[in-house]
Amino acid sequence: MAAPRIVVADHDRLVRDVEAGEDSPTSKKPVGVELERRFPLTRSEFVVAFGVFFVFVVGLFCVYQTMPAAEYGNLKLPRSISDLRILKEQLGTYASIHPTKFILGYCSTYIFMQTFMIPGTIFMSLLAGALFGVIKGIFLVVFNSTAGASSCYFLSKLIGRPIVYWLWPAKLKLFQAEIAKRRDKLLNYMLFLRITPTLPNLFINLASPIVDVPYHIFFLATVVGLIPAAYITVRAGLALGDLNSVKDLYGFKTLSVLFLIGFVSMLPTILKRKRIYE
């Protein structure tokens, strides 16, 4: 009567060996599968991403078409402080004559860049200070940054998971662990991240929906947390002539102030932990 048991055991072992062989990294896989692993998005996700991008581009084009005529050949996204000075001179008169339409074009461009992670929003923030002053400039920068970050958040929630895992696997794992530890005081932690340059805003925008940061916390932390940096940038925009490079914005003194504000935002979490240990 022992024979059937041996046959069953051998059969089970054979099945396990076959499955292990299929999962083995040395087993041959089709080229298409390897290419899919290399590229983080599936075809359907890529189509969705391209569709959203196309809608934004068409909308931006329509906005520019409704604006009064200007020397568009001289307009370009600034990549240096010298470019920004030239752009300010070209747009100063235009912005004073057509303030509403100019702000519409400015906001559309800023949100587009923030949504699709196009570098250069720091120059747009400096431009806001140079053209609109401190109060209006801070409002515009915080509004556009929050709107762009929110668009990036929802776009990442839709198709961003494979991209974030592909670009920052280790950083995402660490971020997920930190979020899990601070669920009870998550707003304070997100405020700290927004105020200080601990993590890049690009990473926060993309990774937050992946690690289940609720949108209302993401939104509040973005609105409030970006105000100090917006104030620094807008104030610097008022004196473009004294600015040599973007690096001058965040010297030791400025970073110290930002980390001090960030520390204050984390005080409730620190005090709560102290009471628990006591």
Side-chain angles (χ1 to χ4, degrees), residues 139-157:
F139 175 80
L140 281 173
V141 170
V142 172
F143 170 79
N144 289 312
S145 297
T146 304
S150 298
S151 299
C152 190
Y153 176 97
F154 288 114
L155 186 62
S156 179
K157 192 170 187 177

Side-chain angles (χ1 to χ4, degrees), residues 76-88 119-124 126-127 240 243-247:
K76 65 174 183 177
L77 290 176
R79 295 301 177 194
S80 65
I81 297 297
S82 57
D83 288 347
L84 189 62
R85 293 193 190 104
I86 295 171
L87 188 63
K88 183 212 168 188
T121 52
I122 184 71
F123 296 110
M124 298 293 288
L126 287 167
L127 186 64
L240 281 179
L243 206 61
N244 295 319
S245 70
V246 175
K247 294 179 181 178

Side-chain angles (χ1 to χ4, degrees), residues 11-69:
H11 176 268
D12 291 342
R13 194 180 301 115
L14 179 62
V15 170
R16 285 196 299 270
D17 291 342
V18 170
E19 289 175 348
E22 289 175 351
D23 295 334
S24 173
T26 58
S27 59
K28 292 183 179 179
K29 294 182 177 64
V31 177
V33 174
E34 291 298 326
L35 289 175
E36 269 187 35
R37 284 190 170 186
R38 224 172 289 155
F39 189 70
L41 296 180
T42 64
R43 287 183 181 179
S44 58
E45 289 170 338
F46 178 77
V47 169
V48 170
F50 182 78
V52 174
F53 180 80
F54 181 75
V55 169
F56 265 84
V57 169
V58 171
L60 196 60
F61 177 76
C62 292
V63 167
Y64 281 121
Q65 286 295 102
T66 61
M67 295 177 71

Side-chain angles (χ1 to χ4, degrees), residues 59-132:
L60 196 60
F61 177 76
C62 292
V63 167
Y64 281 121
Q65 286 295 102
T66 61
M67 295 177 71
E71 296 181 7
Y72 291 115
N74 295 328
L75 301 182
K76 65 174 183 177
L77 290 176
R79 295 301 177 194
S80 65
I81 297 297
S82 57
D83 288 347
L84 189 62
R85 293 193 190 104
I86 295 171
L87 188 63
K88 183 212 168 188
E89 296 299 323
Q90 293 171 345
L91 294 179
T93 305
Y94 186 90
S96 60
I97 297 174
H98 309 286
T100 304
K101 291 186 175 181
F102 176 78
I103 288 176
L104 178 62
Y106 172 86
C107 292
S108 302
T109 305
Y110 200 120
I111 294 171
F112 176 79
M113 294 174 67
Q114 190 85 350
T115 300
F116 294 101
M117 302 154 280
I118 299 173
T121 52
I122 184 71
F123 296 110
M124 298 293 288
S125 301
L126 287 167
L127 186 64
L131 293 177
F132 301 112

Side-chain angles (χ1 to χ4, degrees), residues 167-268:
L167 291 174
W168 306 290
K171 188 180 290 188
L172 181 65
K173 189 176 180 180
L174 178 62
F175 186 48
Q176 193 167 24
E178 292 296 320
I179 292 294
K181 284 194 299 186
R182 295 174 168 83
R183 282 289 173 190
D184 54 339
K185 291 290 183 181
L186 190 54
L187 179 59
N188 299 94
Y189 179 62
M190 292 299 293
L191 274 172
F192 175 81
L193 293 181
R194 283 300 194 189
I195 293 170
T196 64
T198 308
L199 286 175
N201 282 325
L202 169 61
F203 175 79
I204 297 172
N205 296 342
L206 287 172
S208 291
I210 310 298
V211 299
D212 296 325
V213 174
Y215 176 68
H216 69 279
I217 289 179
F218 176 87
F219 176 81
L220 286 173
T222 303
V223 171
V224 178
L226 290 180
I227 291 176
Y231 174 77
I232 292 168
T233 310
V234 169
R235 278 294 301 269
L238 292 174
L240 281 179
D242 300 332
L243 206 61
N244 295 319
S245 70
V246 175
K247 294 179 181 178
D248 295 343
L249 287 172
Y250 295 100
F252 177 77
K253 184 178 178 181
T254 302
L255 290 176
S256 300
V257 171
L258 290 177
F259 272 102
L260 178 62
I261 298 172
F263 176 76
V264 171
S265 72
M266 288 291 288
L267 270 180

